[in-house]
Amino acid sequence: MRLAAMAIGLLCTASAAHAQDLEYSDTATRVCLNDAEGFTGRLACAGLSAGLCMETPQGGSTVGMGGCLDRELKFWDDMLNRNYQAVLSQAVAADAELEELGSAAPRQAVALRAMQRSWIDFRDKACAYAASQWGGGTGAGPAALDCLMRQTARQALSLRSWAQ
């Protein structure tokens, strides 16, 4: 989350009280996920709650946008972490079975950890690129947070599909 910290740092010009005034709820995203079909349908849910938050008076400023995006990012990051742990548990169990059988097949837990580390590097570089398109302007923070939120949603949903 190095890039997330950088993006949030860009938005820290507002007081903590302003951030607390945001009208944010995960409800729209949760309802969408419950109703959506397939990976693409669920991926379309990313940004709904942040978007509603940004439509409020407090969410319309650059700082407010960042706060709204950061809150939905946390929703997706929590889901990603739960799904990663579920997939990792499955991988560890599968690896133990392979070990008992004396199999030389590649181990899933090792591959999963390597994939996740590579994904983090990709996410950070993709979102640094998204921020760079703002030429150092105030939109760079929200652009980076929007990218982080959407990339995290995509990975959370990918992991979810492997956990089921």
Side-chain angles (χ1 to χ4, degrees), residues 35-115:
D35 295 343
E37 293 185 24
F39 182 86
T40 304
R42 286 187 285 278
L43 188 57
C45 298
L48 291 180
S49 292
L52 290 172
C53 176
M54 287 186 281
E55 291 176 7
T56 67
Q58 302 86 355
S61 68
T62 303
V63 172
M65 289 176 195
C68 294
L69 291 163
D70 186 53
R71 291 195 182 168
E72 188 168 340
L73 169 59
K74 182 181 179 337
F75 169 85
W76 290 107
D77 192 52
D78 289 347
M79 179 189 289
L80 181 147
N81 289 319
R82 285 190 310 274
N83 292 342
Y84 178 80
Q85 289 304 316
V87 175
L88 182 59
S89 293
Q90 292 172 356
V92 167
D95 289 349
E97 287 182 35
L98 290 173
E99 190 69 31
E100 278 184 36
L101 296 171
S103 173
R107 297 305 190 243
Q108 291 180 28
V110 171
L112 176 66
R113 286 183 188 107
M115 178 275 304

Side-chain angles (χ1 to χ4, degrees), residues 5-67:
M6 177 185 75
I8 292 167
L10 293 172
L11 298 171
C12 284
T13 57
S15 69
H18 178 76
Q20 292 173 353
D21 291 342
L22 288 175
E23 295 176 34
Y24 178 84
S25 169
D26 292 327
T27 303
T29 304
R30 290 182 191 280
V31 168
C32 181
L33 287 171
N34 286 336
D35 295 343
E37 293 185 24
F39 182 86
T40 304
R42 286 187 285 278
L43 188 57
C45 298
L48 291 180
S49 292
L52 290 172
C53 176
M54 287 186 281
E55 291 176 7
T56 67
Q58 302 86 355
S61 68
T62 303
V63 172
M65 289 176 195

